[in-house]
Amino acid sequence: MMVVGIVVVCAVLAVLAFLVPRLSRHPERGTQRTLGLGTRAGGKAPGILGRLFSKPFRSSSRAVGKSGSAGRRARGRMPF
């Protein structure tokens, strides 16, 4: 369920970054901040469990950042 939510958020951010690049930064940062909370909470588990619990949030945050930057980069490459 979380995977589907992250995919939807990435798609929305990519479209938003393509249409209005400046206004897409605030939702992207908010999403990354929320995922950072999950990373920090999961990392408090002891030992290897901490890394296991925080990894999905880290990779999701990275995916959100990449989708936003890809939308802005695509917008910059448009000929008009």
Side-chain angles (χ1 to χ4, degrees):
M1 192 67 172
M2 184 176 157
V3 173
V4 174
I6 294 299
V7 169
V8 169
V9 167
C10 287
V12 167
L13 277 174
V15 170
L16 187 64
F18 184 77
L19 296 176
V20 280
R22 283 190 181 180
L23 295 179
S24 69
R25 296 222 182 243
H26 188 70
E28 179 183 341
R29 287 184 185 142
T31 305
Q32 286 181 338
R33 184 178 300 137
T34 303
L35 291 170
L37 288 173
T39 301
R40 286 190 296 277
K44 289 185 179 183
I48 196 167
L49 286 177
R51 282 183 297 219
L52 275 173
F53 290 158
S54 67
K55 186 175 179 179
F57 295 103
R58 271 196 319 265
S59 59
S60 298
S61 178
R62 193 176 313 129
V64 165
K66 282 185 178 183
S67 67
S69 67
R72 285 187 289 275
R73 194 171 47 244
R75 171 68 181 252
R77 292 181 182 168
M78 293 297 289
F80 48 86

